[in-house]
Amino acid sequence: MAELLVQQLVNWITLGCIYALLAIGFSLIFGVLNVIHFSHGDVAMTAPFISLALVQLLATAVGVSGPAWLIVAALAAALAVGVIGIVLDKTVIRRFRDAPAMMALVATVALGIVIRELIRHLYPQGSNPHAFPRLVSGVAFEVGTVPISWFALLVVLLTIALVALLFFFLKMTPLGLRIRAASEDRVIARMMGIRDTRVFRATFFIASAIGAIAGLLFASYAGVTRFDFGVMAGLLGFSAAVIGGLGSMPGAILGGLIIAGIEVLAQTFVPDGASYRLVFVFLLVIVVLIFRPAGLLGRPVMEKV
Amino acid sequence: MHAPASSVAPGTGQAIAFTVLSQLAGAAFLYFVLKAEGGWQIVGLLALLGAGFYLLERLPWITDYAMASMARVPLVTFATAAVVVLGFPFVVGSNTYVLHLLIVAQLYAVLALALNFQLGSANIPNFATGASYGIGAYVSALLAINFGLSFWLTLPLAALAATLFGFVIGIPSMRTRDTYLALVTIAFGVVVQQLLNNFDWTGGPNGLVGIPAPSLFGHSFADPLVVFGWKLPSQANFYYLSAALVVVAIITAHRLHGSRIGLAWNALRADEIAAKAQGINVAWYKVLAFAVDAFLAAFAGTIYAFYVSYISPDNFTFLVSVTIMTMVIVGGMDNIFGVIVGAFLLTILPEKLRAFADYRLLFFGVVIIGFLMIRPQGLFPQRMRRYGGEP
């Protein structure tokens, strides 16, 4: 029993960190643009494909391969996805920032379809699942008899590092200050001489790159990636961001841990829970939003007259 | 260029000629789109459609003229519409694929009209229309298979079940709003779809098979329809059934739009706090919008289940709800005619894009994004309410 508990605890933390990283992207973009970027999950899940392609390119064109080059490819993919985020913002998403919320939602859902179809067509045999290797392998240490893998450790440490970096960036740097100002009130920020195009660019790069890392970790955790993984990644990340409170970074992390917690609990303790896990997750979302309509750590919505 | 207001009012003869000819032209266009094969024909017809909307946009008096002439001779308008709708299967003949497309388009038109009560009239997001549609389909199918109830009995029972579901989704809408409410409805939709996918008694992912065909006055809907010696394929039965449902939905939508309920929904859309201050029971009207949506969606679901006689959870996913929502937005929110056009366009277009084979979903996504960027108000934007003495 204790072994099972420790094992599930590790699963929970690992999955929770991945969801938290996805949720941060949703929250960040919503905070600045007031737009739900529903295709964020799909953008994130392009990263495993890009890094697989890069690994193959490195192997055939340069003739190098191995675990170290996988990491290099993954990092390059994260940066590339950040750039994809900027491009999507410039071409599509930015135009919907002043449109009714539903318009943006539908447009980004359509954008998600386009991204998925592009992966399917551009990647060789894109309709099939593709095996994705563990970014790091091996056992770091054992708790009792339960082995803790380097991968789980990597996920946790990477998440802590990224979150710390993001907090430092938002609180301490001039650009972070501008992002926070724009998310507080875009019009006033403009009046104070903040160029919102730069703010958008930075926000989308950061959110998409962090999402890409989450996508890579997710594919690595599942051991496989497929062109339509982005739908569920998007739905779960979005749910995590919303129940945590949109626009709140601690909320996004909390939301990710809660969603992952329910999923792991359902899988472990409910008979046949694996197939019902989404039911539990979304019932929880409904319950949380009934009692905390603006999310757990969200700012309550003020009705202005 | 703009015609003065007085010349917009057409004479009776002109009005009759215009309404008859314009409806016939619309029907002919639909016929050619349905019959079109190959990429270039589709592209050509789409270009024609685009040119038509461009013309409407540049010369707004055409719309006024059309509205005025239809209002002038309502009987002729309805008679022409009835002849066109009733006569279409005769023109199509034995082409069952075209009839199938029309049935699906009509069912989607009902779903889009149902969603329009919330999204269009009251501006409440709802991504659970697909779930209500699925509940209608499953409840009626289960009743028919397990208890042998006839189609006509399952119809109201399915609608009742879905309406209860609508009330349940409506309850969180009293507290949450906008994006948060959107997520609640998405969550409800996913929960329903996942449950249908996992329960044993709903057939799990395999769904339900062998839903019996309905019959009316001893005529089974699975048999070909024989009218005055004309033999129409069995799909014609369901074509007329779904057409009848569209008519019911239009009348419901029109009556609700004209009633105090429709006015209350519009007030909600304009400003919730102001509506509350005017004594409108905001919570009740929001919940009501969800219930009406689920009620109509269940009708469409029931007909769908009995028509294809096989349903599975894949027919009622989140993407179905998004498609319905896209129909409302593309057609024009709170515009009954526009919503129906949107539903037909978005049902038939993806089917016709089969000419682009594997790329059609990609094309579809690009078209929707492009459309939302170029014409966010929809094909037929909502019209101002008119009070009192309409001409």
Side-chain angles (χ1 to χ4, degrees):
Chain A
M1 192 64 200
E3 279 175 32
L4 182 75
L5 224 57
V6 173
Q7 185 57 54
Q8 295 307 333
L9 207 64
V10 173
N11 281 351
W12 168 52
I13 302 276
T14 315
L15 207 57
C17 286
I18 296 174
Y19 290 164
L21 288 180
L22 276 170
I24 284 175
F26 278 102
S27 221
L28 207 59
I29 292 172
F30 183 84
V32 175
L33 267 91
N34 240 325
V35 158
I36 287 298
H37 176 24
F38 215 90
S39 44
H40 182 64
D42 296 296
V43 174
M45 291 315 285
T46 55
F49 282 97
I50 294 177
S51 67
L52 278 181
L54 280 178
V55 166
Q56 269 166 20
L57 193 74
L58 283 172
T60 52
V62 192
V64 287
S65 61
W69 290 102
L70 177 65
I71 306 267
V72 171
L75 284 178
L79 294 180
V81 171
V83 175
I84 291 177
I86 295 177
V87 172
L88 290 180
D89 169 47
K90 249 196 148 59
T91 49
V92 179
I93 297 159
R94 197 177 296 177
R95 290 163 210 259
F96 291 98
R97 64 179 181 208
D98 295 320
M102 285 314 105
M103 207 81 88
L105 210 60
V106 169
T108 49
V109 168
L111 188 61
I113 295 177
V114 171
I115 295 170
R116 286 198 291 280
E117 289 297 303
L118 281 177
I119 298 178
R120 203 161 72 83
H121 286 297
L122 295 180
Y123 196 81
Q125 267 132 34
S127 304
N128 302 335
H130 289 268
F132 194 86
R134 285 264 153 131
L135 289 169
V136 289
S137 51
V139 176
F141 56 89
E142 289 186 358
V143 176
T145 54
V146 183
I148 308 292
S149 65
W150 277 111
F151 177 72
L153 214 60
L154 170 81
V155 171
V156 174
L157 292 179
L158 199 59
T159 306
I160 293 173
L162 280 174
V163 169
L165 214 64
L166 187 64
F167 268 84
F168 172 79
F169 170 75
L170 287 176
K171 300 276 181 195
M172 303 287 185
T173 62
L175 187 55
L177 183 66
R178 290 192 200 114
I179 290 179
R180 282 189 296 137
S183 96
E184 192 105 331
D185 191 322
R186 214 176 63 226
V187 178
I188 305 280
R190 279 281 307 250
M191 284 182 195
M192 296 293 152
I194 293 172
R195 288 195 199 172
D196 47 9
T197 47
R198 280 188 195 173
V199 169
F200 293 152
R201 210 184 300 153
T203 310
F204 263 90
F205 182 80
I206 295 165
S208 304
I210 291 180
I213 292 170
L216 288 162
L217 293 177
F218 185 77
S220 203
Y221 176 77
V224 68
T225 183
R226 219 172 67 189
F227 73 99
D228 58 354
F229 272 13
V231 184
M232 259 311 128
L235 264 179
L236 292 172
F238 176 55
S239 304
V242 172
I243 66 171
L246 279 170
S248 152
M249 290 302 122
I253 296 162
L254 182 66
L257 288 173
I258 290 175
I259 297 267
I262 282 287
E263 222 181 302
V264 170
L265 277 179
Q267 267 167 2
T268 320
F269 295 109
V270 182
D272 202 19
S275 39
Y276 284 99
R277 65 194 172 89
L278 287 177
V279 174
F280 288 107
V281 167
F282 285 101
L283 281 180
L284 179 85
V285 167
I286 294 168
V287 171
V288 167
L289 286 181
I290 288 176
F291 290 103
R292 299 276 304 177
L296 292 169
L297 301 181
R299 279 175 269 179
V301 187
M302 290 290 226
E303 295 193 25
K304 291 180 194 145
V305 182
Chain B
M1 203 61 204
H2 285 263
S6 58
S7 77
V8 161
T12 313
Q14 265 184 325
I16 290 175
F18 180 83
T19 49
V20 173
L21 286 179
S22 63
Q23 292 194 59
L24 285 181
F29 183 77
L30 181 63
Y31 178 77
F32 284 121
V33 171
L34 285 167
K35 281 275 184 184
E37 270 163 38
W40 287 111
Q41 284 186 32
I42 302 290
V43 170
L45 285 166
L46 276 183
L48 196 63
L49 193 68
F53 280 111
Y54 181 74
L55 214 64
L56 279 184
E57 177 75 15
R58 292 304 298 271
L59 309 170
W61 60 265
I62 296 179
T63 326
D64 295 332
Y65 185 86
M67 296 288 285
S69 23
M70 290 192 185
R72 174 116 192 178
V73 282
L75 270 180
V76 177
T77 310
F78 293 135
T80 319
V83 168
V84 166
V85 171
L86 290 177
F88 216 88
F90 292 93
V91 181
V92 173
S94 59
N95 193 334
T96 51
Y97 174 63
V98 167
L99 275 180
H100 169 75
L101 275 186
L102 280 172
I103 294 167
V104 176
Q106 283 173 335
L107 291 180
Y108 268 110
V110 173
L111 290 170
L113 281 172
L115 179 63
N116 189 37
F117 292 124
Q118 303 163 44
L119 192 65
S121 304
N123 202 14
I124 305 168
N126 182 2
F127 283 96
T129 311
S132 312
Y133 178 47
I135 287 178
Y138 266 92
V139 168
S140 59
L142 285 169
L143 287 174
I145 291 174
N146 295 335
F147 301 101
L149 290 189
S150 84
F151 169 76
W152 308 101
L153 263 175
T154 63
L155 199 60
L157 290 175
L160 193 69
T163 310
L164 284 178
F165 173 70
F167 273 114
V168 173
I169 328 176
I171 289 166
S173 75
M174 294 182 213
R175 279 175 64 82
T176 54
R177 50 205 303 184
D178 298 338
T179 310
Y180 296 91
L181 181 55
L183 179 62
V184 171
T185 62
I186 291 172
F188 268 109
V190 174
V191 166
V192 168
Q193 200 252 343
Q194 286 288 322
L195 287 179
L196 292 178
N197 206 11
N198 280 308
F199 283 143
D200 285 332
W201 49 275
T202 59
N206 301 324
L208 294 171
V209 196
I211 303 161
S215 62
L216 183 64
F217 304 127
H219 168 71
S220 167
F221 275 34
D223 295 338
L225 184 66
V226 181
V227 188
F228 305 126
W230 283 70
K231 197 168 166 190
L232 295 172
S234 62
Q235 276 87 350
N237 296 307
F238 286 97
Y239 168 83
Y240 288 120
L241 187 63
S242 48
L245 182 63
V246 175
V247 172
V248 170
I250 292 174
I251 294 172
T252 313
H254 188 73
R255 297 290 296 165
L256 277 173
H257 183 80
S259 72
R260 293 188 72 84
I261 298 174
L263 204 54
W265 280 337
N266 282 178
L268 269 181
R269 179 182 65 197
D271 190 330
E272 201 175 315
I273 295 172
K276 218 182 262 176
Q278 296 291 329
I280 291 172
N281 187 343
V282 171
W284 166 246
Y285 282 109
K286 279 186 176 179
V287 175
L288 192 65
F290 278 97
V292 174
D293 163 71
F295 181 78
L296 268 181
F299 275 119
T302 306
I303 293 183
Y304 179 78
F306 279 84
Y307 166 54
V308 295
S309 85
Y310 160 67
I311 49 174
S312 80
D314 290 344
N315 300 118
F316 313 106
T317 56
F318 169 61
L319 274 182
V320 173
S321 300
V322 173
T323 311
I324 300 167
M325 193 165 247
T326 316
M327 288 168 177
V328 175
I329 292 178
V330 164
M333 295 212 222
D334 211 15
N335 184 321
I336 295 172
F337 180 66
V339 167
I340 294 174
V341 171
F344 269 74
L345 208 60
L346 287 181
T347 315
I348 295 170
L349 194 63
E351 284 294 325
K352 288 294 156 184
L353 291 176
R354 279 190 199 286
F356 300 93
D358 218 16
Y359 288 90
R360 72 190 172 115
L361 209 52
L362 181 66
F363 195 75
F364 187 63
V366 172
V367 166
I368 288 174
I369 296 172
F371 185 86
L372 291 178
M373 289 206 285
I374 297 167
R375 200 174 162 85
Q377 72 273 42
L379 291 173
F380 296 94
Q382 69 198 50
R383 300 176 65 80
M384 294 286 264
R385 275 177 175 275
R386 283 200 281 182
Y387 298 97
E390 248 179 272

